[in-house]
Amino acid sequence: MKSLGKKASGHRLERMQASPLWSGSGFRNLYPIPPELRDPTARMPSLGDFLCGGERRVPQGPLPALDPRPAWKRPAGSGLRATWLGHSTVLLEIDGLRVLTDPVWGARASPTRLAGPKRFQPAPVRLKEMPPLDLVLVSHDHYDHLDYPTIRELAKTEVPFVTPLGVGAHLEAFGVAPQRITELDWWESYRHPSADLTVTATPSQHFSGRGLKDRNATLWSSLAIRTPRHSVFFSGDTGLSGEFAEIRQRLGGFDLVMLEVGAFHPAWGDIHLGPDNALKALDLLGGGAFLPVHWGTFNLAMHAWDEPAETLLAQSDRQNVQLMMPRLGEPMEPAHADKAEPWWRAVDTAPAPPQAPQPESAPKAMPWPLD
């Protein structure tokens, strides 16, 4: 399937193999994993668990969504505005530039349209209705972050892409012109050719792969976006590590911090944050307005769909965190964000009609965990 992407070769592969993160057969995490992050007694969920286990893993109704286009026509008063479009897809408006993170408009986080985790609802704005973009960031190659149909559409534009080492081979296979792709190793930076904006690839604790035979064949990273006036951190997918403190030490603090909070499980606690560890990561980064991502869009773990939001809301007041919980498509400026409100609670108030479980076979060429 074309959606699986393409393996790196030639100069691209040589550059990957020269990275200190290359282990000889693929990339690796370097930071020691604290033993408490992963529960050694927790078993990995089975396919049956994933298809039928757990409770309230899918919302009973649609999440409230706004049309962001009228707001996008007006510049952000503070110079920094973020619009959550679902999962880890956020449109950042930073000092007049539009930066899109991990764009996913596809119906499924899967190599096929016939099976795999299905989106709860469409994105609040169609991809063709997006304003012109100045930059697209892709943190790693998992299906819920690198989406084949979305990249195929973005390939028709002239927008440049920044991504970790090796992911450019997938982008090229999906139709993106090579000259529009910049691949970064950790701590390498990209400077926008026509604006004073810099993106630095920073460490993350995760893995990669789009099939059964390409585990860790491409790099993963978090990303720091800076202009002279503002700074934003985007975690991609990651577990908790001391590297967050190093990022703060090297790059300084952030006005806006976007951390993944969903799809957590004791069996893979070292490669996903979840809400509790996201708050610890926020502290290591030095604080800043906190926009949770990687939740409310796909069913990728055993926990309730809104558990990340409830946990963050309960803890944010106690820890004096500036928590931003926008509705889908709601543009929000960190400088003017109101106190977070639990809008998600209204989604499950009406009882859903009983439904028999729908058996769904996951494609064989999918990694586990799915993200």
Side-chain angles (χ1 to χ4, degrees), residues 64-66 83-84 325-332 341 343:
L66 284 69
T83 307
W84 179 52
M325 298 296 294
R327 295 164 179 82
L328 285 165
E330 181 180 7
M332 188 173 287
E341 296 293 337
W343 52 262

mmCIF file of all heavy atoms in Angstrom, residues 64-66 83-84 325-332 341 343:
data_model
loop_
_atom_site.group_PDB
_atom_site.id
_atom_site.type_symbol
_atom_site.label_atom_id
_atom_site.label_comp_id
_atom_site.label_asym_id
_atom_site.label_seq_id
_atom_site.Cartn_x
_atom_site.Cartn_y
_atom_site.Cartn_z
ATOM 1 N N PRO A 64 -18.364 19.355 20.764
ATOM 2 C CA PRO A 64 -18.666 20.692 20.235
ATOM 3 C C PRO A 64 -17.505 21.217 19.401
ATOM 4 O O PRO A 64 -16.342 21.050 19.757
ATOM 5 C CB PRO A 64 -18.880 21.534 21.497
ATOM 6 C CG PRO A 64 -18.200 20.776 22.595
ATOM 7 C CD PRO A 64 -18.310 19.329 22.227
ATOM 8 N N ALA A 65 -17.821 21.827 18.293
ATOM 9 C CA ALA A 65 -16.800 22.320 17.376
ATOM 10 C C ALA A 65 -17.200 23.683 16.845
ATOM 11 O O ALA A 65 -18.387 23.973 16.663
ATOM 12 C CB ALA A 65 -16.596 21.340 16.223
ATOM 13 N N LEU A 66 -16.202 24.519 16.614
ATOM 14 C CA LEU A 66 -16.414 25.855 16.087
ATOM 15 C C LEU A 66 -15.773 25.969 14.714
ATOM 16 O O LEU A 66 -14.811 25.261 14.413
ATOM 17 C CB LEU A 66 -15.813 26.912 17.006
ATOM 18 C CG LEU A 66 -16.536 27.268 18.309
ATOM 19 C CD1 LEU A 66 -16.479 26.123 19.311
ATOM 20 C CD2 LEU A 66 -15.936 28.528 18.925
ATOM 21 N N THR A 83 -5.050 26.978 17.411
ATOM 22 C CA THR A 83 -6.361 26.383 17.152
ATOM 23 C C THR A 83 -6.203 24.876 17.087
ATOM 24 O O THR A 83 -5.543 24.342 16.176
ATOM 25 C CB THR A 83 -6.956 26.891 15.830
ATOM 26 O OG1 THR A 83 -6.958 28.321 15.812
ATOM 27 C CG2 THR A 83 -8.389 26.389 15.663
ATOM 28 N N TRP A 84 -6.788 24.191 18.063
ATOM 29 C CA TRP A 84 -6.747 22.721 18.096
ATOM 30 C C TRP A 84 -7.771 22.198 17.096
ATOM 31 O O TRP A 84 -8.958 22.494 17.191
ATOM 32 C CB TRP A 84 -7.043 22.231 19.510
ATOM 33 C CG TRP A 84 -7.043 20.742 19.659
ATOM 34 C CD1 TRP A 84 -6.071 19.875 19.282
ATOM 35 C CD2 TRP A 84 -8.081 19.951 20.271
ATOM 36 N NE1 TRP A 84 -6.430 18.578 19.610
ATOM 37 C CE2 TRP A 84 -7.660 18.601 20.219
ATOM 38 C CE3 TRP A 84 -9.314 20.258 20.854
ATOM 39 C CZ2 TRP A 84 -8.426 17.554 20.731
ATOM 40 C CZ3 TRP A 84 -10.076 19.222 21.366
ATOM 41 C CH2 TRP A 84 -9.631 17.882 21.308
ATOM 42 N N MET A 325 -8.047 24.555 27.465
ATOM 43 C CA MET A 325 -8.856 23.434 26.993
ATOM 44 C C MET A 325 -9.851 23.937 25.951
ATOM 45 O O MET A 325 -11.056 23.978 26.176
ATOM 46 C CB MET A 325 -9.586 22.777 28.169
ATOM 47 C CG MET A 325 -8.675 22.175 29.212
ATOM 48 S SD MET A 325 -7.674 20.792 28.590
ATOM 49 C CE MET A 325 -8.915 19.567 28.246
ATOM 50 N N PRO A 326 -9.372 24.337 24.768
ATOM 51 C CA PRO A 326 -10.286 24.854 23.749
ATOM 52 C C PRO A 326 -11.158 23.749 23.174
ATOM 53 O O PRO A 326 -10.783 22.574 23.148
ATOM 54 C CB PRO A 326 -9.338 25.406 22.690
ATOM 55 C CG PRO A 326 -8.105 24.564 22.826
ATOM 56 C CD PRO A 326 -7.986 24.269 24.298
ATOM 57 N N ARG A 327 -12.321 24.142 22.707
ATOM 58 C CA ARG A 327 -13.128 23.232 21.899
ATOM 59 C C ARG A 327 -12.459 23.056 20.543
ATOM 60 O O ARG A 327 -11.618 23.852 20.146
ATOM 61 C CB ARG A 327 -14.540 23.792 21.743
ATOM 62 C CG ARG A 327 -15.320 23.884 23.051
ATOM 63 C CD ARG A 327 -16.524 24.790 22.905
ATOM 64 N NE ARG A 327 -17.294 24.856 24.145
ATOM 65 C CZ ARG A 327 -16.995 25.650 25.174
ATOM 66 N NH1 ARG A 327 -15.933 26.437 25.110
ATOM 67 N NH2 ARG A 327 -17.743 25.661 26.259
ATOM 68 N N LEU A 328 -12.860 22.026 19.837
ATOM 69 C CA LEU A 328 -12.338 21.829 18.494
ATOM 70 C C LEU A 328 -12.600 23.074 17.652
ATOM 71 O O LEU A 328 -13.724 23.591 17.608
ATOM 72 C CB LEU A 328 -12.995 20.617 17.842
ATOM 73 C CG LEU A 328 -12.534 19.243 18.321
ATOM 74 C CD1 LEU A 328 -13.505 18.167 17.860
ATOM 75 C CD2 LEU A 328 -11.139 18.946 17.815
ATOM 76 N N GLY A 329 -11.553 23.570 17.004
ATOM 77 C CA GLY A 329 -11.714 24.718 16.135
ATOM 78 C C GLY A 329 -11.815 26.054 16.841
ATOM 79 O O GLY A 329 -12.107 27.062 16.194
ATOM 80 N N GLU A 330 -11.552 26.099 18.135
ATOM 81 C CA GLU A 330 -11.663 27.351 18.888
ATOM 82 C C GLU A 330 -10.298 28.029 18.991
ATOM 83 O O GLU A 330 -9.445 27.597 19.760
ATOM 84 C CB GLU A 330 -12.213 27.083 20.286
ATOM 85 C CG GLU A 330 -12.371 28.332 21.121
ATOM 86 C CD GLU A 330 -12.931 28.039 22.509
ATOM 87 O OE1 GLU A 330 -13.066 26.844 22.863
ATOM 88 O OE2 GLU A 330 -13.229 29.013 23.225
ATOM 89 N N PRO A 331 -10.046 29.092 18.228
ATOM 90 C CA PRO A 331 -8.761 29.787 18.333
ATOM 91 C C PRO A 331 -8.593 30.389 19.726
ATOM 92 O O PRO A 331 -9.515 30.981 20.275
ATOM 93 C CB PRO A 331 -8.863 30.875 17.263
ATOM 94 C CG PRO A 331 -9.939 30.414 16.333
ATOM 95 C CD PRO A 331 -10.914 29.683 17.203
ATOM 96 N N MET A 332 -7.407 30.237 20.291
ATOM 97 C CA MET A 332 -7.177 30.688 21.659
ATOM 98 C C MET A 332 -5.778 31.261 21.772
ATOM 99 O O MET A 332 -4.804 30.662 21.324
ATOM 100 C CB MET A 332 -7.367 29.519 22.633
ATOM 101 C CG MET A 332 -7.350 29.911 24.101
ATOM 102 S SD MET A 332 -7.790 28.507 25.190
ATOM 103 C CE MET A 332 -9.557 28.381 24.874
ATOM 104 N N GLU A 341 -12.850 25.304 31.118
ATOM 105 C CA GLU A 341 -14.185 24.835 31.474
ATOM 106 C C GLU A 341 -14.394 23.424 30.937
ATOM 107 O O GLU A 341 -13.943 23.105 29.831
ATOM 108 C CB GLU A 341 -15.250 25.771 30.891
ATOM 109 C CG GLU A 341 -15.210 27.192 31.439
ATOM 110 C CD GLU A 341 -15.593 27.266 32.905
ATOM 111 O OE1 GLU A 341 -16.294 26.342 33.374
ATOM 112 O OE2 GLU A 341 -15.196 28.237 33.583
ATOM 113 N N TRP A 343 -16.170 21.544 29.047
ATOM 114 C CA TRP A 343 -17.176 21.473 27.999
ATOM 115 C C TRP A 343 -17.462 20.046 27.559
ATOM 116 O O TRP A 343 -18.533 19.731 27.038
ATOM 117 C CB TRP A 343 -16.721 22.306 26.800
ATOM 118 C CG TRP A 343 -15.336 21.980 26.304
ATOM 119 C CD1 TRP A 343 -14.189 22.640 26.588
ATOM 120 C CD2 TRP A 343 -14.961 20.885 25.451
ATOM 121 N NE1 TRP A 343 -13.106 22.044 25.973
ATOM 122 C CE2 TRP A 343 -13.556 20.961 25.265
ATOM 123 C CE3 TRP A 343 -15.655 19.857 24.819
ATOM 124 C CZ2 TRP A 343 -12.850 20.050 24.485
ATOM 125 C CZ3 TRP A 343 -14.967 18.942 24.044
ATOM 126 C CH2 TRP A 343 -13.585 19.050 23.885
#
